[in-house]
Amino acid sequence: MNEILSHLGDGMLVSIQPLNLMLIFVGVAVGLFIGAMPGLGSVNGVAILLPITFLVPAGSAIIFLAAIYYGAMYGGAISSITLGIPGASTAVATTFDGRPLALQGRASLALVTAALASFVGGTVANVLFTLFAPVLATVALSFGPPEIFALMLLAFATFVGLGGDDIPKTIFSICFGLVLASVGFDQISGEPRLVLFEMDGFLQGIGFLVLAIGVYGIGEMLWTIEQTRGEVTTTNANLTVKGMFSDLREASQRAWKGTVIGSFLGFFVGVLPAAGATPGSLMSYGVAKMVSRRPETFGKGNPDGISAPESANNSASTGAMLPMLTLGIPGSPTTAILLGGMVIWGLTPGPRLFINETEFVWGLIGSFYISNVAALLINLAFIPLFVWMLRMPFTILAPMIFVLSIAGGYAATRNMHDIWMMVVFGLGAFFLRKLDYPLAPAVLAIVLGPIAEPTLRQSLLLSSGDPSIFFTRPIAGPITVIALILIFLPALQFVRRRRRKAMA
């Protein structure tokens, strides 16, 4: 323990060197902007700015890119709360309660809750990373396709209840999302699937960003216009210094449970190779709703519905660094780019990195702590600006949302096919909402589908088609059983309520 603390102290000294400290603050500020812009996200931000880092030493370059990653995780909540558009898949669950809270005139509370939860999640992850890196890396190695599929099944189980009490509509929404996730080339056989009208654009599949911006950007805008009947409306969003301190106190009192769940669950899921922050944030939201005493308030502005995914995605982003540094296996798309950068700079990730490059590794770990504090301070400082945006009349805000949606979608894919698909999904989401179909399960299914399907098929190939592989393996078995219980529990409750009504 003393040796770890000594190394951490040395790493802190490295990270507060003038050049590194400046890069941390610049990286976090840039990341905050990148995360808040629909269509960008941490992957694009790190990839775009990677060439700039060749102007500084290797250690400072990775610290800068890691700071961008941190800032982008914080920034994802901004567009989710203020505009209702998740900038990346990691922030989609924040939209469920963040946007309703903003529309109630409590945008400051939502943004403060997101910032505070992100800070706590990052801090918990940093401590776990520092203390248990070798042990957790070993655990991550034991996760094969059956374990990853069991985890995805558990993720599906946690959001079966996101659609409310209407189980059939929720199941339809999940199945519809899974169908959309299967469009394009089959990952196992390479055969094209569901290529409608032989349009080439469908061969690349339907990206999450296209669906999310269409549903939560264009669809939400159409829904609001329909509800306001074209009247000039503004959101009652006010902010004072006293109110901000009051929001900090309220967030710490009302959102602590979601923060705890997200901090630990997000880190664990983030550590697993190829899982990343998105499943962690979705699972944390579902678990927070399941353990809540008032689950019916989720989706209507519950602070726990913001703190759970926000603490989870920040915790998972740190967790995803662990397999990259200790095993050379990226835990997320962003860490895959960081891994490529490390190789270019002559650093070989793996077990010996902690021995051969001690100053670099601990300097990077020390920068996690500094970046976390910097992100909290910068985020809180910009909250008045984000709240001011919400006071604009919706007649001005609606065109801005539409332009940002189209521009963000095109910047990410540079494909007009995806732009037309966003418009189609926006119109579809509007009509589904009028028919009272839950949209969240469909969006989440298209995120997890591309992970769940190949791992299911790989597992069955390993077992020659025997599904018992999900129950007989020591890690996959318990996770699968828990997932099945959670999946069938709402259905049993639904049947029980129907019987009671019939008897009455």
Side-chain angles (χ1 to χ4, degrees):
M1 178 61 74
N2 290 335
E3 185 181 358
I4 289 174
L5 292 175
S6 174
H7 283 312
L8 181 60
D10 293 339
M12 290 281 196
L13 292 175
V14 170
S15 63
I16 60 173
Q17 291 173 1
L19 174 62
N20 292 339
L21 193 61
M22 182 194 72
L23 289 173
I24 285 172
F25 274 89
V26 171
V28 166
V30 170
L32 192 70
F33 170 76
I34 287 170
M37 285 295 292
L40 287 179
S42 61
V43 180
N44 294 320
V46 172
I48 291 166
L49 296 172
L50 183 63
I52 297 174
T53 60
F54 295 115
L55 302 172
V56 296
S60 300
I62 286 288
I63 285 173
F64 176 64
L65 294 177
I68 294 172
Y69 191 15
Y70 249 105
M73 288 295 111
Y74 272 72
I78 295 166
S79 58
S80 292
I81 292 168
T82 57
L83 301 176
I85 310 172
S89 59
T90 55
V92 66
T94 308
T95 312
F96 302 155
D97 284 273
R99 182 61 176 162
L101 205 55
L103 292 175
Q104 295 166 20
R106 305 297 310 276
S108 172
L109 174 61
L111 290 164
V112 165
T113 301
L116 201 60
S118 297
F119 174 74
V120 173
T123 303
V124 169
N126 289 335
V127 172
L128 293 174
F129 189 110
T130 306
L131 297 177
F132 304 112
V135 176
L136 289 169
T138 306
V139 171
L141 269 181
S142 63
F143 269 70
E147 286 75 22
I148 296 293
F149 175 75
L151 197 67
M152 293 303 102
L153 191 65
L154 183 61
F156 278 110
T158 58
F159 67 76
V160 160
L162 289 185
D165 293 332
D166 200 332
I167 301 297
K169 285 185 176 180
T170 303
I171 293 172
F172 171 82
S173 187
I174 291 172
C175 293
F176 183 63
L178 290 173
V179 169
L180 292 177
S182 65
V183 173
F185 286 109
D186 185 342
Q187 293 187 36
I188 304 295
S189 67
E191 291 291 324
R193 302 183 302 188
L194 299 178
V195 179
L196 303 178
F197 309 112
E198 297 184 358
M199 294 173 67
D200 292 343
F202 286 109
L203 290 172
Q204 63 188 356
I206 295 172
F208 163 78
L209 199 62
V210 174
L211 184 72
I213 293 179
V215 169
Y216 290 107
I218 298 171
E220 183 71 22
M221 180 194 69
L222 293 173
W223 174 258
T224 307
I225 290 173
E226 199 266 347
Q227 292 296 303
T228 57
R229 305 291 182 185
E231 297 174 5
V232 177
T233 58
T234 58
T235 301
N236 181 26
N238 297 307
L239 181 66
T240 61
V241 174
K242 183 180 178 182
M244 197 160 169
F245 279 105
S246 175
D247 289 334
L248 278 167
R249 186 168 58 252
E250 186 176 350
S252 62
Q253 291 172 349
R254 295 182 59 193
W256 65 269
K257 189 182 291 183
T259 303
V260 171
I261 290 168
S263 298
F264 288 94
L265 184 57
F267 180 76
F268 173 72
V269 176
V271 165
L272 304 177
T278 303
S281 64
L282 302 180
M283 289 177 68
S284 298
Y285 183 90
V287 172
K289 181 178 179 181
M290 286 169 57
V291 302
S292 174
R293 292 181 179 177
R294 298 178 62 199
E296 70 280 359
T297 61
F298 277 70
K300 300 176 183 177
N302 190 318
D304 266 334
I306 301 170
S307 64
E310 280 303 302
S311 57
N313 61 37
N314 279 267
S315 185
S317 66
T318 302
M321 293 277 194
L322 194 148
M324 182 196 75
L325 291 174
T326 57
L327 303 171
I329 301 170
S332 70
T334 310
T335 53
I337 297 171
L338 290 173
L339 178 67
M342 288 178 64
V343 173
I344 292 170
W345 288 306
L347 297 165
T348 306
R352 297 199 62 80
L353 186 69
F354 280 75
I355 300 170
N356 298 337
E357 301 288 346
T358 305
E359 183 178 343
F360 163 75
V361 169
W362 288 101
L364 179 60
I365 294 172
S367 77
F368 293 164
Y369 290 87
I370 306 298
S371 297
N372 205 25
V373 174
L376 177 67
L377 296 176
I378 292 172
N379 207 352
L380 290 176
F382 276 96
I383 283 177
L385 174 64
F386 306 141
V387 172
W388 172 82
M389 286 170 53
L390 281 170
R391 290 203 293 267
M392 286 190 288
F394 195 75
T395 49
I396 297 174
L397 202 56
M400 285 179 58
I401 292 172
F402 185 75
V403 170
L404 275 174
S405 299
I406 298 298
Y410 185 76
T413 65
R414 295 177 180 269
N415 190 334
M416 279 306 298
H417 171 82
D418 289 339
I419 304 304
W420 288 113
M421 290 306 299
M422 279 195 302
V423 175
V424 170
F425 284 133
L427 290 169
F430 171 71
F431 287 112
L432 284 174
R433 191 162 177 181
K434 285 186 75 70
L435 295 170
D436 203 27
Y437 275 84
L439 299 174
V443 176
L444 304 185
I446 202 171
V447 175
L448 300 183
I451 304 173
E453 186 200 357
T455 52
L456 169 64
R457 294 171 67 183
Q458 288 163 4
S459 302
L460 293 175
L461 284 171
L462 284 172
S463 65
S464 300
D466 185 1
S468 65
I469 190 172
F470 300 112
F471 299 93
T472 54
R473 289 170 69 112
I475 297 178
I479 297 175
T480 304
V481 171
I482 293 169
L484 291 175
I485 290 171
L486 294 178
I487 286 172
F488 289 111
L489 195 60
L492 291 173
Q493 291 172 345
F494 175 75
V495 171
R496 187 179 299 170
R497 282 196 299 270
R498 292 291 296 268
R499 282 184 176 176
R500 284 177 182 173
K501 285 181 181 179
M503 291 173 67

